[in-house]
């Protein structure tokens, strides 16, 4: 078997705080409320990396002591697109950091036999062509749902797309980067691989069930 090589388009955020919080997130003993809080905190840290290349402009402001040149965001506005339902578990943390962002939703469920995504809901801003787009889902497992969601946002006009997840598998990374080589991926970790049921190992279980207490 060929060894997996992480593509240059994938950024693993390996800050000590991220690694610490991911260890807590993975732990089977972590209760729902703490799992949800950790996912929200991790989403903040991931958003810093995902928005690293946002354009800035210089503006004149007055501090309490004197005028100065300060920097503010400029250019295209952001849109976060959550893959339902688990994507909402990290969406709120991202909105804490960028409250002015527009929000879209893609509803997908995985066919248990084929493991392929089936779209049941799609609601995106009308002006997606004028916005940088960050698609969010806690897990990048087979990669099929991520690819389908990115297909939809690109079809709606998005030109610059980033995919953000808490955890990825090599199979998902390869699937996404082959289908969308222009899309940057930001994640906390890339695990060993998938089991026969399409779950990431060692992973953290079903992110949606752990976020919403439905396990």
């Amino acid at each position: 078997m060929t060894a997996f090589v992480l593509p240059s388009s994938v950024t693993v955020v390996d800050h000590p705080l991220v690694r610490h919080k991911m260890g807590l997130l993975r732990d089977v003993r972590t209760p729902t409320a703490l799992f949800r809080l950790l996912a929200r905190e991790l989403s903040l840290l991931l958003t810093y990396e995902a928005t690293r290349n946002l354009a800035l402009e210089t503006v004149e402001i007055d501090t309490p002591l004197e005028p100065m040149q300060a920097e503010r965001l400029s250019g295209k506005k952001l849109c976060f697109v959550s893959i339902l339902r688990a994507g909402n578990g990290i969406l709120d943390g991202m909105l804490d950091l960028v409250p002015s962002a527009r929000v879209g939703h893609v509803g997908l469920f995985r066919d248990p036999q084929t493991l392929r995504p089936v779209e049941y809901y799609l609601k995106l801003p009308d002006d997606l062509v004028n916005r940088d787009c960050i698609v969010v889902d806690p897990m990048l497992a087979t990669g099929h749902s991520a690819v389908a969601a990115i297909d939809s946002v690109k079809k709606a006009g998005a030109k610059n797309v980033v995919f953000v997840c808490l955890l990825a598998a090599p199979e998902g990374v390869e699937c996404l980067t082959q289908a969308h080589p222009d899309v940057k991926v930001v994640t906390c970790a890339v695990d060993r691989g998938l089991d026969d049921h399409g779950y990431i190992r060692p992973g953290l279980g079903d992110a949606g069930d752990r976020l919403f207490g439905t396990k």
Side-chain angles (χ1 to χ4, degrees):
M1 181 177 177
T2 304
F4 173 70
V5 178
L6 194 69
S8 60
S9 59
V10 178
T11 298
V12 177
V13 183
D14 61 352
H15 189 283
L17 282 175
V18 171
R19 293 159 70 176
H20 169 75
K21 292 177 185 295
M22 279 297 295
L24 295 173
L25 198 74
R26 293 176 185 272
D27 195 329
V28 68
R29 297 167 295 182
T30 297
T32 298
L34 179 56
F35 188 95
R36 194 177 296 142
L37 175 62
L38 288 164
R40 189 174 188 136
E41 291 174 343
L42 284 163
S43 71
L44 286 168
L45 298 168
L46 288 169
T47 304
Y48 281 118
E49 184 61 39
T51 57
R52 178 177 292 277
N53 295 320
L54 291 180
L56 294 169
E57 64 181 359
T58 302
V59 296
E60 180 81 21
I61 68 164
D62 293 315
T63 77
L65 300 176
E66 62 179 277
M68 70 163 287
Q69 298 290 311
E71 291 181 314
R72 290 182 182 168
L73 292 175
S74 67
K76 294 182 179 180
K77 302 299 183 182
L78 281 177
C79 176
F80 296 135
V81 177
S82 171
I83 300 179
L84 298 173
R85 65 179 168 149
N88 283 359
I90 58 175
L91 173 65
D92 287 344
M94 301 177 83
L95 286 171
D96 286 343
L97 201 60
V98 193
S100 63
R102 295 289 179 90
V103 177
H105 293 90
V106 181
L108 298 166
F109 67 86
R110 186 170 65 172
D111 186 291
Q113 301 301 319
T114 65
L115 303 183
R116 304 296 298 186
V118 179
E119 184 177 286
Y120 66 89
Y121 182 79
L122 179 66
K123 185 69 173 179
L124 301 170
D126 293 334
D127 61 345
L128 207 58
V129 68
N130 298 317
R131 295 178 179 272
D132 291 337
C133 187
I134 299 179
V135 178
V136 302
D137 196 4
M139 313 291 276
L140 179 60
T142 64
H144 297 151
S145 292
V147 169
I150 294 169
D151 285 343
S152 293
V153 299
K154 283 187 173 181
K155 193 176 296 183
K159 305 298 184 185
N160 184 25
V161 181
V162 176
F163 182 82
V164 172
C165 61
L166 296 175
L167 188 59
E171 295 91 334
V173 170
E174 290 179 346
C175 178
L176 193 156
T177 54
Q178 287 175 10
H180 296 288
D182 60 314
V183 172
K184 178 182 176 182
V185 178
V186 180
T187 185
C188 296
V190 178
D191 274 10
R192 183 176 70 246
L194 301 179
D195 63 18
D196 293 339
H197 302 287
Y199 282 95
I200 300 174
R201 294 299 183 103
L204 50 78
D206 186 296
D209 284 342
R210 297 194 68 188
L211 279 163
F212 302 114
T214 53
K215 61 180 178 179

